[in-house]
C-alpha cells in the first residue's frame, strides 16, 4: 500500500469512527476535539487542554447547546486563537417560559453588583482579578446516570421520568430536562463541597487582606462545621446564612449593606431562618445573633491578622462605637472591633489557663503514679520475701 | 461500718478473710451512674472533635450517628446532673452520707500526708503515712470531680440553651466545656484507672465498685486509722 493510500484509508477510518459524533455535533467540532491528546503549552508554560469528552459533555447542563453558541468568534475551520466565552451571550436556545432567546445576562448583571462582582463596567473594583468568574463556581457539573440517582435520592424515579416520556419522546432531551428540574429542586452541592468552594478563596489570607476582609479559617472550629462533617442535612453551610430565604447567592452583599443577610439588623432573622428548609435557631435573640459566628481567632494565638487590625482601625476612624459594660459597672464607648479584640484576649487567657492546668496537673499525676508504681512493687517484694 | 464475711451464711470459715463494707448501696449506685454517664458523655462529646478521616468510614450513616450523638449526650448529661442531686441529698440528709462527707472534707493533715507519702515513694521514709477513711488522692479526685462537674454542667446548659445568652458566653462555654472534658478524661485515665485497675496488687481491677466490700488486710493496709477506729469501737462481728 502506498503512503498516500494508507493516509486516505486512515482518514476514512477516522470519519467512520466519528459517525456517532455527527449526530449531536452538527458543527463537527469533535472531528478534532475528540482526541484526548489535543492541547498545547503556551509561552508562559501553561498547559491548555482542548479535549472534549463527548459522552461526558452530553450529560452536562449544556448538552443541548452547540459549540458555536458560546464560542461565537469561531466562524470557520481551521480556527485560530479563541476568545474566552462570555456567559452573558444570547444563545439560540429558546426559553420555553418566555419564548425568547436564552441568556445568563440577567443573572450576571445582578452578580456584578454583588460583593463578588467586578462592579460597574466603567468603574471596576480594585484587585478585580481576585474575584470569581462564573466558571469558578459553576464547574458545569455532570449529571450522574439515572440508575445511580434513583438509588441515592428519594423522589427521583424511573416511573416519574416515564410520565414525561409520554409526550416528550426524545429520550436525550427528556433526560436532560428531568435532571435539570430535579437537580435544581435540591441543593446543588453538598454542604461540605460548598464550604470547600467558598474557603478556596476565603481562607487565603493574602487575598482577603487585599480586600480588607477577614479569613473564615476558623469556620472549621464551629459546631456548624462539625455537623457538616457528619453530613447532617440540617447543618448550615456558607450559603445557608449568607443567602438565606429571601436572599440570593448571586446577590451577596457586604455585611455593611442593608441588603446583606448578615447586616447587623438582619442577623436575628438570618439565625432564626423562618421559612427555611433547615431548622436553625427559631428563638434567636439580638444578643445571641451578635459576635463572631466564625469564632474569634483565639485558636491561633494573640496574633491579630492584618485584616482584623485594619477593620478595627477603620471602625475607630469612622466612629462606629458600641457601649461596653465593664465588670466595674462603667459603660465605655469602644469600637466593635475593640470589643472583639478584648473578648479574644479573655478567651485566650482562659485557654492558656486550662493548658497550664491540664499540663501541670496531669503531668504531676503521671509522676506521682509512676513513683507509686515502683514503691508498691518494692513493698510487694518485701512482703513476699517475708512470707517466704 | 458494717462488716461481712466471705463465707456463706455469715459464719466465718476458719482462716477466711473478713470483709468490711467500703461502699454502701447508695454509693455504689451513685458510682455506677457516674461512670456510665461519664463514658457516654466522653465518647459522644469527643466525637464532635474527631477529624474528618475518622468520620468518613461511617459512610451514609454519618448523619444518623450525629443525630443520636446529640440526643445521647443530653440524656446522659441529664442523668449525670440528677445523680449529682442524688449525691447531694445523700450526703446532707442521711447519717451515712453525712459521715461520708465529713470524712471526705479536706484537712491540713492531707497535705502533710501527701508530703510524707512522696518521701516514702522516694525512699526517704521507711513507712507510708497512716491514712484514714479517705486519703489525699481520693479527696483530690472527689473534689476536683465535683468542681469540674459543676463547671461542665453550667457551660453545658449555656451551650444547650445558647439562644438565650450572648454569643460571647457561648464562645467561653465552648472553650471551657471542651477543656474541662479533656482535663476530666485525662485525670480519670491517669489518676483513677491506675489506682483501681493498673496498680500492682489491684490488676485487673479492684472489686469494691461491684460488691462494695474491702478485705480486712486491704483496709488495714490502706486505711489503717479507719481500721483502728472500727476495731476499737468493737462493734464489728
Amino acid at each position: 500500500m502506498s503512503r498516500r493510500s494508507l493516509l486516505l484509508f486512515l482518514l476514512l477510518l477516522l470519519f467512520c469512527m466519528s459517525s456517532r459524533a455527527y449526530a449531536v455535533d452538527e458543527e463537527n467540532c469533535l472531528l478534532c476535539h475528540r482526541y484526548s491528546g489535543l492541547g498545547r503549552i503556551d509561552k508562559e508554560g501553561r498547559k491548555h487542554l482542548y479535549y472534549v469528552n463527548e459522552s461526558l459533555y452530553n450529560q452536562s447542563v449544556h448538552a443541548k447547546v452547540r459549540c458555536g453558541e458560546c464560542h461565537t468568534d469561531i466562524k470557520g475551520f481551521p480556527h485560530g486563537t479563541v476568545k474566552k466565552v462570555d456567559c452573558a451571550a444570547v444563545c439560540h436556545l429558546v426559553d420555553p417560559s418566555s419564548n425568547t432567546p436564552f441568556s445568563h445576562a440577567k443573572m450576571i448583571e445582578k452578580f456584578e453588583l454583588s460583593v463578588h462582582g467586578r462592579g460597574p463596567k466603567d468603574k471596576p473594583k480594585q484587585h478585580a482579578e481576585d474575584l470569581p468568574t462564573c466558571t469558578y463556581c459553576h464547574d458545569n457539573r455532570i449529571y450522574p446516570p439515572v440508575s445511580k440517582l434513583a438509588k441515592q435520592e428519594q423522589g427521583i424515579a424511573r416511573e416519574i421520568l416515564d410520565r414525561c416520556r409520554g409526550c416528550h419522546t426524545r429520550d436525550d432531551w427528556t433526560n436532560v430536562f428531568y435532571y435539570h428540574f430535579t437537580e435544581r429542586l435540591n441543593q446543588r452541592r453538598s454542604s461540605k463541597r460548598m464550604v470547600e468552594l467558598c474557603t478556596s478563596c476565603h481562607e487565603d489570607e493574602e487575598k482577603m487582606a487585599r480586600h480588607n476582609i477577614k479569613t473564615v479559617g476558623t469556620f472549621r472550629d464551629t459546631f456548624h462545621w462539625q455537623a457538616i462533617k457528619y453530613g447532617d442535612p440540617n447543618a448550615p453551610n456558607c450559603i445557608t446564612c449568607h443567602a438565606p430565604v429571601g436572599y440570593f447567592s448571586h446577590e451577596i452583599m457586604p455585611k455593611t449593606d442593608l441588603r446583606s443577610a448578615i447586616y447587623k439588623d438582619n442577623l436575628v432573622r438570618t439565625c432564626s431562618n423562618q421559612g427555611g428548609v433547615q431548622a436553625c435557631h427559631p428563638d434567636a435573640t439580638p444578643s445571641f445573633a451578635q459576635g463572631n459566628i466564625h469564632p474569634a481567632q483565639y485558636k491561633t494565638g494573640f496574633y491579630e491578622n492584618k485584616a482584623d487590625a485594619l477593620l478595627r482601625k477603620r471602625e475607630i476612624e469612622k466612629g462606629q462605637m458600641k457601649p461596653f459594660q465593664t465588670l466595674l459597672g462603667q459603660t465605655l464607648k469602644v469600637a466593635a472591633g475593640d470589643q472583639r479584640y478584648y473578648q479574644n484576649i479573655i478567651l485566650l487567657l482562659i485557654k492558656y489557663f486550662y493548658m497550664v492546668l491540664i499540663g501541670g496537673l496531669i503531668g504531676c499525676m503521671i509522676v506521682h503514679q509512676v513513683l507509686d508504681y515502683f514503691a508498691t512493687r518494692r513493698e510487694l517484694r518485701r512482703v513476699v520475701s517475708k512470707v517466704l | 461500718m458494717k462488716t461481712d464475711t466471705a463465707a456463706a451464711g455469715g459464719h466465718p470459715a476458719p482462716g477466711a478473710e473478713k470483709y468490711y463494707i467500703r461502699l454502701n448501696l447508695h454509693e455504689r449506685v451513685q458510682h455506677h451512674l457516674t461512670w456510665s454517664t461519664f463514658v457516654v458523655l466522653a465518647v459522644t462529646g469527643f466525637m464532635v472533635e474527631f477529624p474528618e478521616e475518622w468520620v468518613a468510614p461511617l459512610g451514609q450513616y454519618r448523619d444518623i450517628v450525629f443525630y443520636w450523638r446529640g440526643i445521647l449526650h443530653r440524656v446522659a448529661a441529664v442523668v449525670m446532673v440528677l445523680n449529682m442531686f442524688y449525691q447531694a441529698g445523700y450526703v446532707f440528709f442521711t447519717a451515712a452520707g453525712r459521715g461520708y462527707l465529713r470524712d471526705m472534707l479536706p484537712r491540713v493533715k492531707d497535705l502533710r500526708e501527701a508530703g510524707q507519702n512522696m518521701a516514702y515513694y522516694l525512699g526517704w521514709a521507711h513507712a507510708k503515712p497512716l491514712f484514714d477513711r479517705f486519703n489525699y488522692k481520693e479527696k483530690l479526685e472527689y473534689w476536683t470531680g465535683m468542681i469540674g462537674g459543676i463547671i461542665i454542667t453550667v457551660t453545658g446548659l449555656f451551650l444547650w440553651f445558647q439562644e438565650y445568652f450572648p454569643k460571647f458566653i457561648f464562645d467561653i462555654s465552648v472553650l471551657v466545656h471542651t477543656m474541662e472534658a479533656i482535663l476530666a478524661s485525662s485525670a480519670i485515665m491517669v489518676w483513677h484507672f491506675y489506682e483501681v485497675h493498673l496498680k500492682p496488687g489491684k490488676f485487673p481491677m479492684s472489686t469494691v465498685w461491684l460488691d462494695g466490700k474491702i478485705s480486712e488486710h486491704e483496709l488495714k493496709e490502706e486505711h489503717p486509722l479507719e481500721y483502728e477506729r472500727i476495731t476499737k469501737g468493737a462493734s464489728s462481728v
Side-chain angles (χ1 to χ4, degrees), chain A residues 16-34:
Chain A
C16 293
M17 278 165 70
S18 55
S19 62
R20 226 166 60 80
Y22 281 132
V24 213
D25 177 28
E26 289 165 32
E27 301 143 299
N28 207 8
C29 300
L30 288 174
L31 176 67
C32 300
H33 287 278
R34 62 199 288 269

PDB file of all heavy atoms in Angstrom, chain A residues 16-34:
ATOM      1  N   CYS A  16     -15.301   7.337   9.739  1.00  0.00           N
ATOM      2  CA  CYS A  16     -16.271   6.305  10.097  1.00  0.00           C
ATOM      3  C   CYS A  16     -16.451   6.252  11.606  1.00  0.00           C
ATOM      4  O   CYS A  16     -17.556   6.146  12.127  1.00  0.00           O
ATOM      5  CB  CYS A  16     -15.801   4.922   9.642  1.00  0.00           C
ATOM      6  SG  CYS A  16     -15.775   4.782   7.879  1.00  0.00           S
ATOM      7  N   MET A  17     -15.321   6.347  12.331  1.00  0.00           N
ATOM      8  CA  MET A  17     -15.372   6.255  13.785  1.00  0.00           C
ATOM      9  C   MET A  17     -16.143   7.406  14.407  1.00  0.00           C
ATOM     10  O   MET A  17     -16.774   7.243  15.433  1.00  0.00           O
ATOM     11  CB  MET A  17     -13.951   6.216  14.366  1.00  0.00           C
ATOM     12  CG  MET A  17     -13.339   4.847  14.328  1.00  0.00           C
ATOM     13  SD  MET A  17     -11.576   4.945  14.601  1.00  0.00           S
ATOM     14  CE  MET A  17     -11.534   5.405  16.309  1.00  0.00           C
ATOM     15  N   SER A  18     -16.034   8.538  13.770  1.00  0.00           N
ATOM     16  CA  SER A  18     -16.687   9.695  14.378  1.00  0.00           C
ATOM     17  C   SER A  18     -18.128   9.857  13.905  1.00  0.00           C
ATOM     18  O   SER A  18     -18.735  10.885  14.106  1.00  0.00           O
ATOM     19  CB  SER A  18     -15.886  10.961  14.083  1.00  0.00           C
ATOM     20  OG  SER A  18     -15.728  11.068  12.697  1.00  0.00           O
ATOM     21  N   SER A  19     -18.689   8.801  13.320  1.00  0.00           N
ATOM     22  CA  SER A  19     -20.036   8.929  12.774  1.00  0.00           C
ATOM     23  C   SER A  19     -21.056   9.249  13.868  1.00  0.00           C
ATOM     24  O   SER A  19     -22.019   9.953  13.641  1.00  0.00           O
ATOM     25  CB  SER A  19     -20.426   7.655  12.043  1.00  0.00           C
ATOM     26  OG  SER A  19     -20.439   6.597  12.970  1.00  0.00           O
ATOM     27  N   ARG A  20     -20.814   8.679  15.102  1.00  0.00           N
ATOM     28  CA  ARG A  20     -21.760   8.924  16.195  1.00  0.00           C
ATOM     29  C   ARG A  20     -21.738  10.400  16.604  1.00  0.00           C
ATOM     30  O   ARG A  20     -22.757  10.975  16.954  1.00  0.00           O
ATOM     31  CB  ARG A  20     -21.408   8.049  17.402  1.00  0.00           C
ATOM     32  CG  ARG A  20     -22.600   7.353  18.001  1.00  0.00           C
ATOM     33  CD  ARG A  20     -22.144   6.282  18.942  1.00  0.00           C
ATOM     34  NE  ARG A  20     -21.344   6.845  20.030  1.00  0.00           N
ATOM     35  CZ  ARG A  20     -21.886   7.445  21.103  1.00  0.00           C
ATOM     36  NH1 ARG A  20     -23.191   7.571  21.199  1.00  0.00           N
ATOM     37  NH2 ARG A  20     -21.117   7.904  22.069  1.00  0.00           N
ATOM     38  N   ALA A  21     -20.546  10.952  16.556  1.00  0.00           N
ATOM     39  CA  ALA A  21     -20.382  12.343  16.946  1.00  0.00           C
ATOM     40  C   ALA A  21     -21.173  13.267  16.034  1.00  0.00           C
ATOM     41  O   ALA A  21     -21.706  14.267  16.468  1.00  0.00           O
ATOM     42  CB  ALA A  21     -18.916  12.726  16.930  1.00  0.00           C
ATOM     43  N   TYR A  22     -21.293  12.915  14.819  1.00  0.00           N
ATOM     44  CA  TYR A  22     -22.004  13.772  13.862  1.00  0.00           C
ATOM     45  C   TYR A  22     -23.439  14.046  14.270  1.00  0.00           C
ATOM     46  O   TYR A  22     -23.967  15.120  14.067  1.00  0.00           O
ATOM     47  CB  TYR A  22     -22.014  13.115  12.465  1.00  0.00           C
ATOM     48  CG  TYR A  22     -20.711  13.303  11.730  1.00  0.00           C
ATOM     49  CD1 TYR A  22     -20.084  12.234  11.111  1.00  0.00           C
ATOM     50  CD2 TYR A  22     -20.131  14.563  11.648  1.00  0.00           C
ATOM     51  CE1 TYR A  22     -18.895  12.403  10.431  1.00  0.00           C
ATOM     52  CE2 TYR A  22     -18.935  14.732  10.982  1.00  0.00           C
ATOM     53  CZ  TYR A  22     -18.311  13.653  10.370  1.00  0.00           C
ATOM     54  OH  TYR A  22     -17.147  13.826   9.720  1.00  0.00           O
ATOM     55  N   ALA A  23     -24.038  12.999  14.911  1.00  0.00           N
ATOM     56  CA  ALA A  23     -25.459  13.099  15.226  1.00  0.00           C
ATOM     57  C   ALA A  23     -25.741  14.306  16.137  1.00  0.00           C
ATOM     58  O   ALA A  23     -26.699  15.029  15.928  1.00  0.00           O
ATOM     59  CB  ALA A  23     -25.930  11.813  15.904  1.00  0.00           C
ATOM     60  N   VAL A  24     -24.899  14.546  17.163  1.00  0.00           N
ATOM     61  CA  VAL A  24     -25.115  15.645  18.096  1.00  0.00           C
ATOM     62  C   VAL A  24     -24.293  16.868  17.676  1.00  0.00           C
ATOM     63  O   VAL A  24     -24.739  17.998  17.760  1.00  0.00           O
ATOM     64  CB  VAL A  24     -24.689  15.235  19.535  1.00  0.00           C
ATOM     65  CG1 VAL A  24     -25.581  15.918  20.545  1.00  0.00           C
ATOM     66  CG2 VAL A  24     -24.671  13.734  19.698  1.00  0.00           C
ATOM     67  N   ASP A  25     -23.100  16.584  17.272  1.00  0.00           N
ATOM     68  CA  ASP A  25     -22.148  17.637  16.988  1.00  0.00           C
ATOM     69  C   ASP A  25     -22.302  18.100  15.545  1.00  0.00           C
ATOM     70  O   ASP A  25     -21.526  17.720  14.672  1.00  0.00           O
ATOM     71  CB  ASP A  25     -20.743  17.070  17.276  1.00  0.00           C
ATOM     72  CG  ASP A  25     -19.652  18.055  16.941  1.00  0.00           C
ATOM     73  OD1 ASP A  25     -19.915  19.265  16.998  1.00  0.00           O
ATOM     74  OD2 ASP A  25     -18.553  17.599  16.617  1.00  0.00           O
ATOM     75  N   GLU A  26     -23.324  18.923  15.314  1.00  0.00           N
ATOM     76  CA  GLU A  26     -23.622  19.351  13.931  1.00  0.00           C
ATOM     77  C   GLU A  26     -22.468  20.102  13.304  1.00  0.00           C
ATOM     78  O   GLU A  26     -22.227  20.016  12.105  1.00  0.00           O
ATOM     79  CB  GLU A  26     -24.853  20.273  13.935  1.00  0.00           C
ATOM     80  CG  GLU A  26     -26.141  19.561  14.237  1.00  0.00           C
ATOM     81  CD  GLU A  26     -27.242  20.560  14.584  1.00  0.00           C
ATOM     82  OE1 GLU A  26     -27.223  21.679  14.033  1.00  0.00           O
ATOM     83  OE2 GLU A  26     -28.108  20.208  15.403  1.00  0.00           O
ATOM     84  N   GLU A  27     -21.743  20.866  14.149  1.00  0.00           N
ATOM     85  CA  GLU A  27     -20.665  21.681  13.584  1.00  0.00           C
ATOM     86  C   GLU A  27     -19.386  20.889  13.342  1.00  0.00           C
ATOM     87  O   GLU A  27     -18.408  21.438  12.845  1.00  0.00           O
ATOM     88  CB  GLU A  27     -20.356  22.854  14.534  1.00  0.00           C
ATOM     89  CG  GLU A  27     -21.533  23.743  14.793  1.00  0.00           C
ATOM     90  CD  GLU A  27     -21.548  24.218  16.231  1.00  0.00           C
ATOM     91  OE1 GLU A  27     -21.633  23.371  17.163  1.00  0.00           O
ATOM     92  OE2 GLU A  27     -21.465  25.429  16.447  1.00  0.00           O
ATOM     93  N   ASN A  28     -19.434  19.603  13.765  1.00  0.00           N
ATOM     94  CA  ASN A  28     -18.305  18.712  13.535  1.00  0.00           C
ATOM     95  C   ASN A  28     -17.042  19.163  14.257  1.00  0.00           C
ATOM     96  O   ASN A  28     -15.940  18.970  13.759  1.00  0.00           O
ATOM     97  CB  ASN A  28     -18.045  18.597  12.029  1.00  0.00           C
ATOM     98  CG  ASN A  28     -17.388  17.270  11.710  1.00  0.00           C
ATOM     99  OD1 ASN A  28     -17.274  16.406  12.584  1.00  0.00           O
ATOM    100  ND2 ASN A  28     -16.958  17.112  10.469  1.00  0.00           N
ATOM    101  N   CYS A  29     -17.185  19.774  15.435  1.00  0.00           N
ATOM    102  CA  CYS A  29     -16.011  20.213  16.203  1.00  0.00           C
ATOM    103  C   CYS A  29     -15.251  19.021  16.755  1.00  0.00           C
ATOM    104  O   CYS A  29     -14.039  19.070  16.945  1.00  0.00           O
ATOM    105  CB  CYS A  29     -16.436  21.112  17.356  1.00  0.00           C
ATOM    106  SG  CYS A  29     -17.285  22.582  16.797  1.00  0.00           S
ATOM    107  N   LEU A  30     -16.015  17.938  17.038  1.00  0.00           N
ATOM    108  CA  LEU A  30     -15.378  16.777  17.651  1.00  0.00           C
ATOM    109  C   LEU A  30     -14.461  16.034  16.683  1.00  0.00           C
ATOM    110  O   LEU A  30     -13.721  15.148  17.110  1.00  0.00           O
ATOM    111  CB  LEU A  30     -16.442  15.835  18.220  1.00  0.00           C
ATOM    112  CG  LEU A  30     -17.142  16.358  19.486  1.00  0.00           C
ATOM    113  CD1 LEU A  30     -18.266  15.421  19.884  1.00  0.00           C
ATOM    114  CD2 LEU A  30     -16.159  16.522  20.633  1.00  0.00           C
ATOM    115  N   LEU A  31     -14.526  16.432  15.463  1.00  0.00           N
ATOM    116  CA  LEU A  31     -13.609  15.828  14.486  1.00  0.00           C
ATOM    117  C   LEU A  31     -12.175  15.903  15.025  1.00  0.00           C
ATOM    118  O   LEU A  31     -11.413  14.957  14.932  1.00  0.00           O
ATOM    119  CB  LEU A  31     -13.714  16.573  13.154  1.00  0.00           C
ATOM    120  CG  LEU A  31     -12.744  16.120  12.059  1.00  0.00           C
ATOM    121  CD1 LEU A  31     -13.067  14.700  11.596  1.00  0.00           C
ATOM    122  CD2 LEU A  31     -12.761  17.080  10.884  1.00  0.00           C
ATOM    123  N   CYS A  32     -11.844  17.059  15.584  1.00  0.00           N
ATOM    124  CA  CYS A  32     -10.521  17.234  16.192  1.00  0.00           C
ATOM    125  C   CYS A  32     -10.572  17.098  17.707  1.00  0.00           C
ATOM    126  O   CYS A  32      -9.731  16.473  18.316  1.00  0.00           O
ATOM    127  CB  CYS A  32      -9.948  18.604  15.864  1.00  0.00           C
ATOM    128  SG  CYS A  32      -9.758  18.883  14.115  1.00  0.00           S
ATOM    129  N   HIS A  33     -11.626  17.714  18.318  1.00  0.00           N
ATOM    130  CA  HIS A  33     -11.614  17.856  19.775  1.00  0.00           C
ATOM    131  C   HIS A  33     -11.922  16.576  20.529  1.00  0.00           C
ATOM    132  O   HIS A  33     -11.924  16.579  21.766  1.00  0.00           O
ATOM    133  CB  HIS A  33     -12.569  18.980  20.195  1.00  0.00           C
ATOM    134  CG  HIS A  33     -12.044  20.348  19.874  1.00  0.00           C
ATOM    135  ND1 HIS A  33     -11.144  20.983  20.679  1.00  0.00           N
ATOM    136  CD2 HIS A  33     -12.251  21.151  18.794  1.00  0.00           C
ATOM    137  CE1 HIS A  33     -10.828  22.162  20.132  1.00  0.00           C
ATOM    138  NE2 HIS A  33     -11.499  22.273  18.976  1.00  0.00           N
ATOM    139  N   ARG A  34     -12.200  15.501  19.811  1.00  0.00           N
ATOM    140  CA  ARG A  34     -12.444  14.242  20.491  1.00  0.00           C
ATOM    141  C   ARG A  34     -11.153  13.531  20.880  1.00  0.00           C
ATOM    142  O   ARG A  34     -11.189  12.517  21.584  1.00  0.00           O
ATOM    143  CB  ARG A  34     -13.299  13.321  19.623  1.00  0.00           C
ATOM    144  CG  ARG A  34     -12.659  12.944  18.328  1.00  0.00           C
ATOM    145  CD  ARG A  34     -13.705  12.452  17.377  1.00  0.00           C
ATOM    146  NE  ARG A  34     -14.177  11.159  17.791  1.00  0.00           N
ATOM    147  CZ  ARG A  34     -13.653  10.014  17.370  1.00  0.00           C
ATOM    148  NH1 ARG A  34     -12.663  10.018  16.501  1.00  0.00           N
ATOM    149  NH2 ARG A  34     -14.139   8.873  17.786  1.00  0.00           N
TER     150      ARG A  34
END
